[in-house]
Amino acid sequence: MRTFIYADKFFLNSDTKSAGYLEIIDGKFGNYYAELPEKDANIIDHSGKWIAPGLVDTHIHGYKNQDVMDNNAEGLKIMSEGLLECGVTSYLPTTLTSTKELLKDVAKTIGDTYQDVKGAKIQGIYFEGPFFTEEHKGAQNPSYFGDPDIDTFHEWQEASGGLIKKIALAPERKGVSEFVNQVTEEGVVVALGHSNATLEEATEAVEAGASVFVHAYNGMRGLNHREPGMVGALLSLQHVFSELICDGHHVHPQAAEILMEKAGHDHVALITDCMMAGGMPDGNYILGEFPVVVKDGTARMKEGNLAGSILKLKEAIKNVVDWEIATPEEAIMMATWVPAVSCKIDDKCGLIKKGRDADFIVLNPDMTLAATYLDGTKRYEA
């Protein structure tokens, strides 16, 4: 007997379809039908609700009291399972600046574990650093900063089994153009952030192949009328993507709107930058090597600086719609297809397409999450 999902709206790859039926075949997506193609069928009824691709978080350090830098396979499994309650079905575990040795060990642990997780799928690794500069260090430890080194990167990549999909660096470091050229040739996305770079320095890195800006506006030289800086670069350069944290704390809604209007919603990737305190009560936590206090919806270092977030991606898509800076279609696109494309993992996730794993979410019309499905099976229900 054939199985179909019924809902009021479907966010498909090419268009948004109204009420109809989406076939699920052995855990994969089948076709969408406006009318049920056969009477004798198994119908999973989500009347009054919407179906969208599973969310894709391409910048996330931890969740449920687990940190990627803990270098713990069981922690990754807990994090993966917990992310289903956020509507996330695919993600890139994200490292922090640390010693060369620990980063190599973490890369190996993720490479050895990623196929064993049972929740949200690990589609690669994001190395956030350690090739940054101190002026905008954020929660990164500057004692480990250095210039990009291709041999070191290859050690990490080999340890991961080729799983590193993205690495971030500061454009003003020495040897950036050569490094960017090399790793992008190898299929790795280069992101720019935690940097005091000028517009010219950022442009040189983009010309070499860098294509993503790390958590736009945060951890970077701001816009000035005489030196546009990193923010000027992400607002003016072509064919680049910007990560954006839409929790209402990292970026003012109007600043988020300016970026979306200038770059286009199709070049903005909603991310969380979530740390281990995500999904946990207020209190004291650790991000990398630094103590962090979680209170009133923010994660801050003791001196008061924001340190990652406790944002859930399902909240980000609701926020941008509630702030009236994106339509539901644009919000879904920015949390599924755009992050997947920006990290070159869109062959695995980010859209509803025949033959792909049936990883999807069920939304209420107010953009709240009702359920998360993985491989066609309901794994979370609100």
Side-chain angles (χ1 to χ4, degrees):
M1 185 183 295
R2 295 167 70 183
T3 297
F4 298 86
I5 305 288
Y6 176 81
D8 284 15
K9 186 185 288 189
F10 293 85
F11 295 86
L12 302 181
N13 185 30
S14 59
D15 196 10
T16 302
K17 299 290 188 181
S18 56
Y21 302 84
L22 177 64
E23 189 168 12
I24 306 296
I25 306 168
D26 297 327
K28 308 285 186 182
F29 289 121
N31 290 317
Y32 161 87
Y33 301 90
E35 301 291 337
L36 193 63
E38 62 178 62
K39 290 182 179 179
D40 187 21
N42 176 36
I43 307 299
I44 300 171
D45 190 358
H46 286 296
S47 297
K49 294 182 170 58
W50 303 346
I51 304 298
L55 305 184
V56 181
D57 199 341
T58 53
H59 184 160
I60 177 166
H61 298 280
Y63 195 69
K64 286 291 184 188
N65 215 30
Q66 309 301 317
D67 189 311
V68 172
M69 295 304 292
D70 289 343
N71 194 28
N72 181 348
E74 289 308 309
L76 286 169
K77 294 173 184 177
I78 293 168
M79 181 176 170
S80 166
E81 193 71 33
L83 285 174
L84 296 176
E85 70 187 26
C86 304
V88 172
T89 57
S90 287
Y91 72 110
L92 299 184
T94 305
T95 63
L96 282 166
T97 292
S98 187
T99 65
K100 173 181 172 179
E101 292 74 25
L102 179 56
L103 287 168
K104 183 177 178 180
D105 289 345
V106 170
K108 185 178 189 309
T109 296
I110 299 172
D112 291 345
T113 306
Y114 81 102
Q115 291 177 310
D116 297 331
V117 302
K118 304 300 183 186
K121 297 169 182 176
I122 295 175
Q123 303 291 4
I125 307 171
Y126 173 23
F127 261 52
E128 193 188 3
F131 308 133
F132 292 144
T133 48
E134 192 161 348
E135 292 92 339
H136 298 280
K137 64 182 184 292
Q140 307 274 343
N141 190 335
S143 64
Y144 305 124
F145 288 169
D147 295 327
D149 180 78
I150 194 66
D151 291 334
T152 299
F153 173 76
H154 284 155
E155 283 187 42
W156 294 332
Q157 186 67 293
E158 184 179 356
S160 76
L163 209 60
I164 300 174
K165 300 294 185 183
K166 179 167 69 166
I167 185 166
L169 51 76
E172 68 269 38
R173 302 253 27 156
K174 292 179 182 177
V176 162
S177 292
E178 296 81 2
F179 181 87
V180 172
N181 217 322
Q182 178 73 36
V183 300
T184 53
E185 282 289 319
E186 295 170 8
V188 177
V189 171
V190 175
L192 306 177
H194 290 283
S195 162
N196 199 39
T198 63
L199 172 62
E200 182 180 3
E201 289 168 328
T203 301
E204 286 179 10
V206 170
E207 287 296 324
S211 57
V212 176
F213 283 84
V214 182
H215 41 52
Y217 298 110
N218 290 276
M220 61 179 63
R221 183 194 284 244
L223 177 68
N224 180 277
H225 59 291
R226 292 196 177 93
E227 172 47 67
M230 288 280 283
V231 170
L234 67 87
L235 288 172
S236 62
L237 298 181
Q238 299 291 310
H239 313 305
V240 295
F241 297 93
S242 289
E243 301 177 347
L244 193 61
I245 307 171
C246 285
D247 59 357
H249 302 290
H250 280 77
V251 179
H252 190 284
Q254 198 163 345
E257 183 177 29
I258 289 168
L259 174 57
M260 291 173 192
E261 288 180 348
K262 190 69 176 69
H265 293 86
D266 58 346
H267 282 77
V268 175
L270 296 180
I271 53 116
T272 62
D273 197 13
C274 186
M275 47 91 69
M276 67 187 303
M280 300 294 293
D282 286 359
N284 296 310
Y285 296 89
I286 297 290
L287 179 59
E289 300 176 4
F290 299 107
V292 172
V293 178
V294 173
K295 184 181 178 183
D296 301 327
T298 65
R300 296 183 183 273
M301 298 173 72
K302 288 191 174 178
E303 57 266 35
N305 298 339
L306 286 167
S309 85
I310 53 170
L311 178 68
K312 301 177 177 71
L313 203 50
K314 67 179 181 181
E315 296 167 345
I317 61 171
K318 178 171 171 55
N319 285 343
V320 295
V321 173
D322 289 349
W323 297 341
E324 299 182 344
I325 62 174
T327 64
E329 286 81 3
E330 289 165 341
I332 293 298
M333 176 178 67
M334 290 190 293
T336 57
W337 184 79
V338 178
V341 168
S342 74
C343 294
K344 297 183 180 178
I345 55 173
D346 53 305
D347 59 330
K348 301 287 187 185
C349 58
L351 69 161
I352 292 173
K353 183 178 180 181
K354 185 178 180 179
R356 290 280 189 91
D357 290 348
D359 302 339
F360 63 94
I361 57 173
V362 183
L363 291 171
N364 299 305
D366 65 355
M367 295 297 289
T368 54
L369 182 68
T372 303
Y373 283 73
L374 210 61
D375 299 314
T377 300
K378 187 192 293 182
R379 294 290 304 280
Y380 170 77
E381 187 167 25

